[in-house]
Amino acid sequence: AQTVTQSQPEMSVQEAETVTLSCTYDTSENNYYLFWYKQPPSRQMILVIRQEAYKQQNATENRFSVNFQKAAKSFSLKISDSQLGDTAMYFCAFRAAWGGIQGAQKLVFGQGTRLTINP
Amino acid sequence: GAGVSQTPSNKVTEKGKYVELRCDPISGHTALYWYRQSLGQGPEFLIYFQGTGAADDSGLPNDRFFAVRPEGSVSTLKIQRTERGDSAVYLCASSLGPGGGETQYFGPGTRLLVL
């Protein structure tokens, strides 16, 4: 079974600073996908960024980028030029590429990191 | 276009009662998922539908929980004889297909409180 661990329950930075959220995972799969989701107080989970394990290049989406270290099973999220609207819970998630009919499609989430951006 | 919608937004019920939670996926999405999120935790998988059939229900905690998707679109999560431990946010997600790379789009969730 896969597990995802986020070791930082809470983080707080000043607006415009850069912040990095940590995530490690455990799996015996070779092909998989990793995701970072943002959950503001409205409860809506919003996809921030995704990474395919077979790609060596780290994914980037505007101010968001990841540092994917496959051998270390590490997948951190870097937010540059942080904004007040980035305040939210952030969840790291794992999904196997394919494992037959059962089991592959579900997302496995970490416990989350509560990020606060201060003015 | 319209995203995933869930009704009701909030539900308060008494211990022992029956509740139904509804999910309307994005139009054309064949895959639908239910997750449960307890306070301060990440979402946990409950059940996955591909079309009308439940392809994976390994996350349902016990036989009080049941879900259907009779026409391959709207899904209903049903909880019988509710217990206080069932209190959580129930999230629904849909994706275009079942592949591992398909993005799952989430609804706003239903917050269930069992008194």
Side-chain angles (χ1 to χ4, degrees):
Chain A
Q2 293 85 12
T3 58
V4 177
T5 302
Q6 294 178 250
S7 59
Q8 304 152 312
E10 295 188 28
M11 294 191 72
S12 178
V13 298
Q14 296 298 119
E15 192 176 8
E17 289 184 347
T18 294
V19 60
T20 299
L21 309 184
S22 301
C23 172
T24 58
Y25 58 94
D26 189 25
T27 184
S28 58
E29 300 283 339
N30 189 49
N31 294 321
Y32 49 87
Y33 298 85
L34 296 164
F35 305 84
W36 278 98
Y37 277 88
K38 168 185 177 181
Q39 187 178 43
S42 66
R43 298 198 307 248
Q44 186 103 32
M45 297 282 279
I46 302 165
L47 179 66
V48 174
I49 198 166
R50 54 177 276 168
Q51 174 80 42
E52 291 85 351
Y54 63 85
K55 289 186 177 179
Q56 292 186 337
Q57 186 173 7
N58 289 323
T60 62
E61 285 287 342
N62 300 313
R63 297 182 296 108
F64 300 87
S65 62
V66 299
N67 183 3
F68 173 48
Q69 300 290 327
K70 190 172 184 180
K73 297 180 180 175
S74 170
F75 183 60
S76 61
L77 173 70
K78 185 172 83 170
I79 306 175
S80 302
D81 186 27
S82 57
Q83 301 175 359
L84 297 179
D86 296 333
T87 293
M89 285 291 291
Y90 285 80
F91 292 96
C92 178
F94 170 100
R95 191 183 190 195
W98 183 254
I101 297 299
Q102 268 206 352
Q105 286 72 24
K106 64 182 179 185
L107 286 166
V108 178
F109 287 88
Q111 307 93 317
T113 295
R114 183 178 302 279
L115 177 63
T116 302
I117 308 299
N118 298 306
Chain B
V4 178
S5 62
Q6 294 186 245
T7 54
S9 178
N10 295 281
K11 176 71 176 178
V12 180
T13 191
E14 294 179 346
K15 180 175 177 295
K17 299 289 188 181
Y18 168 83
V19 295
E20 289 189 352
L21 312 179
R22 176 188 168 106
C23 172
D24 276 274
I26 293 172
S27 178
H29 281 195
T30 64
L32 185 146
Y33 316 79
W34 285 98
Y35 294 84
R36 180 168 70 173
Q37 186 176 21
S38 300
L39 190 64
Q41 301 294 316
E44 293 181 318
F45 171 78
L46 293 176
I47 186 170
Y48 152 64
F49 287 90
Q50 179 55 40
T52 60
D56 183 357
D57 64 358
S58 62
L60 295 179
N62 51 60
D63 61 5
R64 295 187 297 106
F65 288 74
F66 189 72
V68 296
R69 194 186 185 199
E71 298 178 357
S73 178
V74 171
S75 176
T76 304
L77 179 64
K78 308 180 181 191
I79 311 175
Q80 298 177 321
R81 304 183 304 280
T82 53
E83 299 178 356
R84 292 194 179 87
D86 299 335
S87 296
V89 174
Y90 290 82
L91 296 168
C92 176
S94 70
S95 64
L96 193 59
E102 293 287 351
T103 296
Q104 293 186 22
Y105 297 90
F106 283 80
T110 294
R111 183 182 298 279
L112 175 66
L113 178 60
V114 182
L115 300 177

